[in-house]
Amino acid sequence: MATTCGLRTLKNEPVPLKSVSVEVDVQGHVASVNSTLQYENQESNPVEAIFIFPMDSNAAVYRFLARIGDVEIEAQVREKEKAKEEYDDAISSGQEAFLLEESDESSDVFRLSVGSLPPGQTASVTVGYVSELAVQADHALRFCLPAVLNPRYTPPGSSSMTTEASPQAGDVPYTLSLTMNIYTPSFVQTVESNCPLTPLAFLSQDKTQAKVSLAPGHRFDRDVELLLYYSEPHQPMAILEAGQPGVQSGSLMGDTVAMLSFYPVIEAEKSSHVASSGEFIFLVDRSGSMECPMNQNSGDKSRISSARDTLLLLLKSLPLGCYFNIYGFGSKYESFFPESVEYTQATMESAVEMVKSMEADLGGTVILPPLKNIYSKPCLPSHPRQLFVFTDGEVGNTKEVINLVKSHAHSHRCFTFGIGEGASSALVNGMAEGGSGHPQFITGSERMQPKVMQSLQYALNPVAKDIAMKWNIPAEVSVTPLSPPVNVLFNLKRVIQYFQLTGQNASNMSSSVSLHYIVEDKPFENKISLNLKPDADNRYWAWTIDVLVRPKRAVELSIQSGVSSSYTAFIGVNRENKEPVQGPLQRRLMAARRLFTFASPYDSAPSSPQQIGTMTALLRTPHQSVCQPKEPEDPMMELIGLQRADGSWDLQQSLASILGKQEEEVVKASPGKPEFSSVWATVLAVLWLYGHKAESRDEWQFVATKAMTWVRAQSGIELFHSFTHIHIH
């Protein structure tokens, strides 16, 4: 069962963390964050405090500052092993030292070590980082401050940074203050959150600058999520940043860097047959932790229940003529069919019944074997492979999984869905980016279905070809790409590219850059006008270091730029204190940063006979502590569940009941002949969706489109034409 874990010592004593304060500056779709933790050593001996905490995998840490009393220590970036050696030497000699490093297993887990803090001493550490804001299905930009760190499943004999923090029951003993300042070219419409906010305050008359804060006294007991809605969410954008003063021109840090944001239009013609092709493989996490609720609220749906509903909707939304299969994985894996099968009424019905019986009963989270099995099967000619992965992300070998997906990027596209608070952003983002797909995160009370339908729309889009960047700039300016080439585009999905500009001066020279591509033999262009005068250096591009260059070069650039990478770490030592700290050093392990942990007894690897016995007892008894009472059937899902694979509905009492009628009433009201009853039933079902579930159109749009395509295809049917005034498209 999920438990919360506040900051605790190894003696299960509360950690004396006083407060957490966060300042966020958002410029367009990029956030610059400064997070400060204040604490005090209330023990009689000096302590070494170890924090294990989550961070967005796309974030780049560019600043690490520590304050001890009146002394301020600006940490420096060093090669990781050298930084560790310097830290160990410092605390061994009684010096106060700080070390911040990224996990070797996953880019979304960090360890902060605070060494030799004297008794009674207060200290604070500030971590500064930048991150891109993810675009949601409703076009909102999502900022998340993670509070949940799920222990990643680690097989016996292996180790993981997340397993260092053993979860203990307890309340979060501190509050969080958070202020966000927003600057955007288009005005801010609103800001929403899963936590109480102060009223949105506009700082300019055109509403392009705004400020919002968490309500005072907020207890940091959940992920903090803010959704930003702009008036023009798809407006292309360019940000130019000047090189660092004093750095030689021609180096990465010495010249201007441009960050360009495009929103390509990729839409299929109505006559396109792309929707009838494709192999859709759904890989679903069935580990024990999927029984946990979507968030802390025990009344919320379980993760596996939400996944079941989503799979049923996907099965009804697939087009005739495609192929599909469904895998479930945990400590072992199983598939519905030995090979992908053609989508027919019979295979759909069989899959629906198996989905309804899916439970979170397969143990730990081991995703590599089923992925290898999927990739071992040959792709089907004329049916591009589309892989949909649903997981709560508690995977220990994240980098190995991502590398496997990357190695098969030429044969498929990978769409990922992180379910529940604490899902590994490194895994979810990394698999999608490596597989030329799109990641989604579903937290709190969000419905999974709209986000999955957006990804299905991406998967059904025609493929863009001949993707190229074209510049219209003065001849004396040279452009060097810093990002990997764009190899995939999705409709209105943001594309970020980074370039280095050399040779331009500070004048206001007007130029432009365009993204060119071809869709179904038709050329398209996405153009951005830009001023070559750079803005102030905000380091918004800095997190690209890891993916731009090979490890040796990454270390050099990371040290040069002062931005941490997976090969480096921040190290700070208080050299102002000439007197070594006296007394035996006590090591205190803090479970997480802000900080509590979700854990599941079904996902962990047992390490002792007592633990094995406990887990055996749990698995032999009903999951009363985590299973939710059976929820009443959603009438929309009930209606969709009655749809046939070809898109039609049969006229039957179960359909009539959803419509609020008796079957006889529906039959009597039919304007057509009895043999056309399925057409009548299908039209009524679609009308019900438009009339009663208009707010959920993103979820049933494929279902309705397939239905009306079927109606129009019925020869001799005039029934549909009498309903053209309803404007169903």
Side-chain angles (χ1 to χ4, degrees):
M1 182 176 66
T3 59
T4 61
C5 180
L7 288 172
R8 318 290 290 186
T9 68
L10 292 181
K11 298 178 180 178
N12 199 28
E13 298 169 346
V15 171
L17 180 66
K18 299 302 182 183
S19 66
V20 177
S21 61
V22 179
E23 291 284 338
V24 185
D25 287 330
V26 174
Q27 181 169 336
H29 47 247
V30 178
S32 177
V33 185
N34 280 283
S35 180
T36 300
L37 294 82
Q38 296 181 335
Y39 58 97
E40 178 183 1
N41 178 14
Q42 297 176 345
E43 300 191 35
S44 57
N45 292 307
V47 299
E48 179 190 21
I50 309 295
F51 295 81
I52 310 296
F53 63 90
M55 185 177 288
D56 191 291
S57 65
N58 287 327
V61 180
Y62 67 89
R63 188 183 189 217
F64 180 41
L65 182 71
R67 295 180 180 86
I68 301 178
D70 296 329
V71 178
E72 183 173 280
I73 305 166
E74 184 81 40
Q76 303 298 315
V77 176
R78 299 281 188 270
E79 191 275 327
K80 183 178 284 188
E81 292 306 316
K82 291 182 179 178
K84 289 181 180 179
E85 291 176 5
E86 185 175 345
Y87 174 80
D88 290 340
D89 290 344
I91 63 173
S92 296
S93 60
Q95 291 180 296
E96 298 155 330
F98 302 82
L99 179 70
L100 181 66
E101 59 181 310
E102 178 185 312
S103 165
D104 291 332
E105 300 101 24
S106 184
S107 60
D108 62 345
V109 180
F110 278 72
R111 184 210 318 257
L112 168 62
S113 304
V114 181
S116 295
L117 187 65
Q121 182 69 68
T122 59
S124 69
V125 293
T126 298
V127 178
Y129 62 92
V130 290
S131 180
E132 292 180 9
L133 301 181
V135 182
Q136 305 300 289
D138 62 355
H139 312 305
L141 296 179
R142 176 179 181 262
F143 170 80
C144 182
L145 189 69
V148 178
L149 177 58
N150 291 336
R152 311 293 161 80
Y153 176 77
T154 306
S158 303
S159 61
S160 170
M161 187 180 288
T162 62
T163 59
E164 293 183 27
S166 177
Q168 304 284 343
D171 294 328
V172 177
Y174 51 88
T175 59
L176 165 72
S177 64
L178 182 147
T179 298
M180 174 180 283
N181 300 293
I182 307 167
Y183 310 90
T184 174
S186 58
F187 70 80
V188 182
Q189 289 185 322
T190 186
V191 177
E192 299 178 358
S193 178
N194 61 334
C195 304
L197 297 175
T198 61
L200 181 65
F202 291 103
L203 306 179
S204 62
Q205 289 186 345
D206 60 3
K207 297 184 177 181
T208 60
Q209 299 181 30
K211 181 178 181 179
V212 70
S213 302
L214 286 179
H218 175 77
R219 293 175 64 80
F220 202 0
D221 58 356
R222 76 191 84 168
D223 285 357
V224 175
E225 182 180 74
L226 280 79
L227 299 176
L228 285 63
Y229 292 85
Y230 295 163
S231 61
E232 298 180 43
H234 300 132
Q235 180 178 344
M237 182 185 304
I239 297 178
L240 273 66
E241 298 174 0
Q244 289 186 358
V247 178
Q248 182 179 0
S249 177
S251 66
L252 176 63
M253 304 306 298
D255 289 316
T256 297
V257 172
M259 181 178 70
L260 308 177
S261 174
F262 297 94
Y263 291 88
V265 176
I266 308 289
E267 293 180 340
E269 297 291 337
K270 290 186 178 180
S271 60
S272 173
H273 298 289
V274 68
S276 63
S277 64
E279 179 193 18
F280 297 87
I281 299 178
F282 306 111
L283 179 58
V284 184
D285 191 339
R286 289 177 53 186
S287 62
S289 57
M290 287 289 286
E291 271 295 0
C292 295
M294 291 293 291
N295 65 15
Q296 291 185 83
N297 187 344
S298 59
D300 282 349
K301 242 182 181 180
S302 68
R303 300 170 187 175
I304 192 65
S305 176
S306 184
R308 280 196 300 264
D309 287 351
T310 303
L311 280 174
L312 291 173
L313 183 60
L314 278 167
L315 285 172
K316 296 294 181 174
S317 301
L318 292 179
L320 282 174
C322 74
Y323 284 74
F324 78 101
N325 202 352
I326 300 176
Y327 283 71
F329 74 92
S331 298
K332 60 179 181 177
Y333 69 90
E334 54 191 41
S335 62
F336 282 14
F337 308 103
E339 309 282 343
S340 292
V341 296
E342 185 177 356
Y343 180 74
T344 65
Q345 181 65 24
T347 57
M348 184 200 72
E349 287 180 348
S350 175
V352 165
E353 290 306 311
M354 286 187 279
V355 166
K356 290 179 179 178
S357 64
M358 285 178 59
E359 298 291 346
D361 54 4
L362 294 185
T365 312
V366 184
I367 194 173
L368 207 59
L371 279 175
K372 289 181 178 179
N373 181 269
I374 291 169
Y375 293 142
S376 71
K377 299 182 184 299
C379 294
L380 302 173
S382 302
H383 289 277
R385 178 171 288 173
Q386 316 281 358
L387 175 62
F388 285 63
V389 180
F390 302 84
T391 179
D392 58 14
E394 300 180 15
V395 175
N397 55 343
T398 299
K399 293 186 177 179
E400 188 178 359
V401 171
I402 293 172
N403 288 336
L404 178 64
V405 175
K406 285 181 178 178
S407 68
H408 291 84
H410 64 282
S411 65
H412 79 305
R413 290 192 293 189
C414 182
F415 300 89
T416 54
F417 306 90
I419 304 173
E421 289 183 295
S424 169
S425 61
L427 180 75
V428 175
N429 288 327
M431 291 182 69
E433 292 166 3
S436 298
H438 179 62
Q440 302 269 20
F441 290 88
I442 302 96
T443 60
S445 58
E446 287 182 304
R447 286 177 64 84
M448 191 187 305
Q449 289 86 338
K451 296 190 174 185
V452 174
M453 289 299 105
Q454 182 191 42
S455 292
L456 180 60
Q457 179 70 66
Y458 289 158
L460 293 174
N461 278 155
V463 176
K465 301 178 180 179
D466 298 334
I467 305 169
M469 304 288 299
K470 296 184 180 180
W471 291 78
N472 177 23
I473 55 177
E476 64 270 20
V477 179
S478 63
V479 178
T480 303
L482 298 178
S483 303
V486 180
N487 58 13
V488 63
L489 298 176
F490 298 112
N491 187 46
L492 293 180
K493 181 182 181 294
R494 184 181 64 201
V495 175
I496 300 285
Q497 287 283 283
Y498 300 89
F499 297 88
Q500 187 173 34
L501 306 181
T502 305
Q504 96 278 14
N505 54 39
S507 63
N508 296 327
M509 294 184 290
S510 295
S511 302
S512 66
V513 59
S514 301
L515 176 67
H516 291 253
Y517 50 96
I518 295 175
V519 178
E520 296 182 327
D521 299 324
K522 182 179 179 181
F524 288 85
E525 178 185 11
N526 218 211
K527 185 176 181 180
I528 297 178
S529 297
L530 56 117
N531 189 317
L532 291 183
K533 183 177 181 180
D535 298 330
D537 178 19
N538 289 313
R539 300 178 187 261
Y540 286 153
W541 49 269
W543 64 84
T544 58
I545 285 178
D546 259 350
V547 297
L548 298 183
V549 289
R550 283 177 274 181
K552 288 185 179 179
R553 182 68 173 144
V555 172
E556 176 187 342
L557 294 177
S558 180
I559 294 173
Q560 184 185 64
S561 65
V563 178
S564 175
S565 74
S566 58
Y567 313 105
T568 57
F570 273 101
I571 174 67
V573 178
N574 182 9
R575 305 188 189 282
E576 297 293 324
N577 187 5
K578 304 303 181 182
E579 296 293 330
V581 177
Q582 301 296 322
L585 183 64
Q586 304 295 317
R587 196 168 193 248
R588 295 292 180 256
L589 181 63
M590 319 310 185
R593 174 177 54 176
R594 339 223 212 232
L595 280 167
F596 61 95
T597 306
F598 267 155
S600 169
Y602 313 115
D603 254 18
S604 56
S607 57
S608 67
Q610 293 82 359
Q611 188 176 3
I612 293 174
T614 301
M615 289 186 65
T616 303
L618 284 168
L619 293 172
R620 286 178 177 171
T621 57
H623 300 172
Q624 295 176 353
S625 58
V626 291
C627 286
Q628 308 301 316
K630 185 173 177 61
E631 298 181 356
E633 186 81 32
D634 180 350
M636 182 182 77
M637 292 303 300
E638 191 176 357
L639 178 83
I640 292 173
L642 297 174
Q643 188 183 35
R644 295 175 58 81
D646 59 9
S648 66
W649 274 267
D650 290 331
L651 189 53
Q652 54 185 298
Q653 182 55 52
S654 53
L655 173 63
S657 297
I658 297 172
L659 302 177
K661 304 291 183 181
Q662 291 296 317
E663 183 178 353
E664 295 77 10
E665 294 180 82
V666 178
V667 172
K668 186 177 180 179
S670 174
K673 299 177 182 180
E675 59 265 32
F676 298 149
S677 63
S678 290
V679 177
W680 175 234
T682 302
V683 171
L684 289 178
V686 174
L687 289 176
W688 186 91
L689 289 172
Y690 274 89
H692 294 268
K693 293 293 179 179
E695 75 283 358
S696 302
R697 184 171 180 173
D698 287 345
E699 300 183 34
W700 51 257
Q701 59 177 323
F702 290 103
V703 166
T705 299
K706 187 161 67 167
M708 299 323 299
T709 300
W710 177 85
V711 168
R712 294 186 183 99
Q714 305 310 299
S715 60
I717 297 298
E718 301 296 330
L719 177 64
F720 173 71
H721 299 293
S722 65
F723 292 92
T724 55
H725 66 282
I726 303 173
H727 305 296
I728 298 177
H729 301 290

